[in-house]
Amino acid sequence: MSADESSSSTVTDPAPIDAVPLRHPWRWVAAIVILALFGLFLYGAATNPAYGWSTYFEYLFNDRILLGVFNTLQLTVYSMLLGIVLGVVLAVMRLSPNPVFRSVSWVFLWVFRGTPIYVQLVFWGLVPTIYSNIQLGVPFGPSLFHLNLQSLSIPFVLACLGLALNEAAYMAEIIRAGILSVPEGQSEASTALGMSWTLTMRRTVLPQAMRVIIPPTGNEVISMLKTTSLVTAVPYSYDLYSIAVREVAARIFEPVPLLMVAATWYLVVTSILMVGQFYLERHFSRGASRKLTTKQLDALAKAQTEGGHV
């Protein structure tokens, strides 16, 4: 036996490393302090008569409050739908080679993103005063159409219009960013396959752009739900905030429990919207992750097994 062989035979495997995980005692200290403070806050809130818990539970499912929740949901849905449609049009105009369309879209975004939403809603509330009579007809001739806006009760329509036009300015930038995030090679490949521009947008560009569009759009829906509390500027006084605070609380002189009632319903609806946003994001992000799902791993193992028997 050679010297090398004898030396190699005497070499033993190294002992396993006894790794000790790093301890973080201050994390536990911080968690205990936070829980103690939270417990003290809950105890103080439960025993503080200023919160008016009896009034809170009395009006939590009150018919007027539920009407406010329903009207708030209507404002949110109608305004977001109109805002998304207008946002798509404005985004296409921004991406258009036509300089007139680009300029009109830019001016719209400049005005509605550059002024506060409350100021815009106040302006929309004053539209029946500014344009009290709308007439269409032949110049210096007979009037073919006449409408007196002051005789109409349209605060709900004006509130939806004000919210939607403001939202369209933000949705236009979200949609434009989503479309621009898709590589140009995708459109070029679709065109090479003979797809039209409409089919390319529907089958190639938009499905990939939705991964970028959906998350901020979900945030905008949640933000719109909370922004409806500003429609009192129109004035529209049948949303959740107006009924809970400006009507019921002003009548019974207990603003704190009614504010908590409104906050509870906002949190409930927002939580539901967040769950829907999560599933939408997961649906449109399919294929974007490099991690294989259980079904994909099973299919890959089955394909390898079948390939081995061939």
Side-chain angles (χ1 to χ4, degrees):
M1 181 182 294
S2 63
D4 295 338
E5 293 176 350
S6 61
S7 61
S8 63
S9 62
T10 58
V11 175
T12 58
D13 295 332
I17 299 175
D18 187 13
V20 178
L22 185 63
R23 302 184 185 279
H24 300 279
W26 289 108
R27 294 182 180 178
W28 291 100
V29 173
I32 292 173
V33 171
I34 292 173
L35 288 176
L37 293 175
F38 185 67
L40 290 174
F41 171 78
L42 290 181
Y43 175 78
T47 57
N48 191 339
Y51 281 95
W53 291 109
S54 59
T55 305
Y56 170 82
F57 289 109
E58 178 184 354
Y59 284 95
L60 184 60
F61 296 100
N62 182 268
D63 292 340
R64 293 292 296 171
I65 299 297
L66 295 179
L67 174 63
V69 173
F70 178 70
N71 291 334
T72 295
L73 290 176
Q74 286 193 98
L75 284 169
T76 304
V77 172
Y78 298 155
S79 300
M80 279 305 304
L81 289 177
L82 184 56
I84 291 174
V85 172
L86 291 176
V88 172
V89 175
L90 291 169
V92 173
M93 291 173 66
R94 282 293 304 273
L95 297 173
S96 172
N98 190 320
V100 176
F101 287 165
R102 290 202 308 268
S103 300
V104 171
S105 178
W106 185 88
V107 170
F108 183 95
L109 268 61
W110 173 61
V111 171
F112 283 92
R113 290 201 304 168
T115 55
I117 177 62
Y118 191 83
V119 174
Q120 297 175 28
L121 290 174
V122 171
F123 175 83
W124 284 108
L126 294 174
V127 164
T129 302
I130 301 173
Y131 303 99
S132 57
N133 292 294
I134 298 178
Q135 296 185 12
L136 297 177
V138 179
F140 306 105
S143 176
L144 302 178
F145 175 79
H146 177 266
L147 179 63
N148 186 0
L149 291 181
Q150 291 186 340
S151 64
L152 301 177
S153 180
I154 53 173
F156 181 83
V157 175
L158 294 176
C160 287
L161 190 59
L163 293 173
L165 290 178
N166 179 265
E167 184 61 35
Y170 293 93
M171 285 304 305
E173 291 297 279
I174 293 173
I175 295 170
R176 185 173 71 94
I179 294 174
L180 292 177
S181 68
V182 180
E184 293 184 2
Q186 300 290 320
S187 301
E188 294 173 355
S190 300
T191 304
L193 292 174
M195 291 186 181
S196 63
W197 183 87
T198 304
L199 188 60
T200 299
M201 292 294 294
R202 184 168 61 89
R203 299 295 298 273
T204 304
V205 176
L206 287 180
Q208 298 181 69
M210 292 299 287
R211 300 170 185 168
V212 178
I213 294 174
I214 287 297
T217 302
N219 294 334
E220 288 297 314
V221 174
I222 294 173
S223 178
M224 175 64 73
L225 174 73
K226 295 177 290 186
T227 306
T228 56
S229 61
L230 300 178
V231 295
T232 54
V234 171
Y236 178 74
S237 57
Y238 296 100
D239 62 297
L240 174 59
Y241 176 80
S242 299
I243 291 179
V245 178
R246 302 175 70 91
E247 179 184 326
V248 180
R251 187 177 69 246
I252 65 176
F253 301 105
E254 292 189 58
V256 175
L258 269 301
L259 280 171
M260 293 175 58
V261 168
T264 300
W265 280 110
Y266 281 123
L267 283 173
V268 169
V269 179
T270 299
S271 302
I272 297 174
L273 293 176
M274 290 175 65
V275 172
Q277 178 184 354
F278 168 77
Y279 284 105
L280 276 176
E281 289 182 14
R282 191 173 70 173
H283 173 76
F284 285 104
S285 63
R286 292 179 303 176
S289 176
R290 295 184 179 180
K291 295 182 180 179
L292 296 178
T293 62
T294 304
K295 292 183 178 180
Q296 291 172 333
L297 289 173
D298 294 341
L300 182 61
K302 183 178 179 181
Q304 291 176 346
T305 304
E306 293 177 351
H309 291 296
V310 176

